[in-house]
């Protein structure tokens, strides 16, 4: 069994989403003590935004790769392979300016691969990357409902993971983080109770 932890918050020790991914990792490693844990810190080691070379490396067959694309392929494919090899994926996803951090979007861009994580048919798109649990550690400064027009963080992640076939998707959230320490403590306590049920 493999557990993959992804962090994308830029606020270091002050990060609420990192505190949540800590809690989630502790929970799942306690349940699965023999699991291999893979971590990817998208701030400490950011993935570059995709460009023509990385896009070709991600989306085209290796036998068609020219030299620059072939050189980029192993590193690009490794991001996808560690996701596909994982049974549990923990994603730290704070809300930045009403959506996810750009470094997290760069990671998602390496997971949406035609013919690997999704395909199109006469019946429309079909996700191919099911069979794993994905838990989003969501942190937001305000209080949002999922149907608000300003909510482009959790809705984006729900849409993306649903598109690639993940049907075991959970959100553990702390909202109102901008309201101060008491609100954060209340949110963390509630989140810990939710984590215990996963």
């Amino acid at each position: 069994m493999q557990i993959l932890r992804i962090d994308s918050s830029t606020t270091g020790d002050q990060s609420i989403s990192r505190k949540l991914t800590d809690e989630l990792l502790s929970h799942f490693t306690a349940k699965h003590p023999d699991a291999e844990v893979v971590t990817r810190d998208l701030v400490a080691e950011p993935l570059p935004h995709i460009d023509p070379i990385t896009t070709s490396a991600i989306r085209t067959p290796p036998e068609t790769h020219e030299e620059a694309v072939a050189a980029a392929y192993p590193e690009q494919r490794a991001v996808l392979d560690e996701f596909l090899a994982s049974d549990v994926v923990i994603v730290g996803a704070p809300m930045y300016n009403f959506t996810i951090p750009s470094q997290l979007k760069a990671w998602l861009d390496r997971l949406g691969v035609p013919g690997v994580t999704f395909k199109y048919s006469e019946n429309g798109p079909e996700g191919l990357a099911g069979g794993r649990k994905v838990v989003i550690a969501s942190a937001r400064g305000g209080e949002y409902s999922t149907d608000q027009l300003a909510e482009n963080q959790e809705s984006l992640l729900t849409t993306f993971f649903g598109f690639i076939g993940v049907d075991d998707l959970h959100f553990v959230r702390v909202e109102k983080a901008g309201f101060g320490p008491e609100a954060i403590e209340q949110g963390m306590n509630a989140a810990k109770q939710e984590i215990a049920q996963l």
Side-chain angles (χ1 to χ4, degrees), residues 9 14 26 102 132 145 171 178 187-188:
S9 169
Q14 302 302 311
S26 294
S102 61
R132 72 204 76 252
S145 63
F171 285 87
M188 285 297 300

Side-chain angles (χ1 to χ4, degrees), residues 15 23 31-32 74 79 97 100 105 126 167 173 181 192:
S15 170
E23 293 286 341
K31 288 183 70 172
H32 307 285
V79 178
N97 299 313
I100 61 174
K105 177 61 165 59
E126 178 184 346
D167 56 9
R173 62 181 62 86
K192 289 175 183 178

Side-chain angles (χ1 to χ4, degrees), residues 19 28 32-33 61 73 77 93 96 114-115 133 137 139 156 168 171:
K19 289 179 173 64
F28 284 111
H32 307 285
Y73 175 77
R77 180 69 191 208
Y96 285 1
K133 180 189 296 291
L156 185 157
D168 191 0
F171 285 87

Side-chain angles (χ1 to χ4, degrees), residues 21-22 26 31 96 133 136 144 151 156 164 169 177 194:
T21 55
D22 281 342
S26 294
K31 288 183 70 172
Y96 285 1
K133 180 189 296 291
I136 309 296
Y144 299 84
E151 204 296 281
L156 185 157
I164 65 171
L169 178 68
E194 291 183 39

Side-chain angles (χ1 to χ4, degrees), residues 183-196:
I184 293 172
E185 183 179 4
Q186 290 176 353
M188 285 297 300
N189 289 336
K192 289 175 183 178
Q193 293 179 21
E194 291 183 39
I195 290 169

Side-chain angles (χ1 to χ4, degrees), residues 78-105:
V79 178
L80 174 61
D81 285 345
E82 70 185 14
F83 172 79
L84 293 176
S86 298
D87 304 282
V88 176
V89 181
I90 300 166
V91 181
M95 176 186 274
Y96 285 1
N97 299 313
F98 305 105
T99 188
I100 61 174
S102 61
Q103 53 266 29
L104 182 56
K105 177 61 165 59

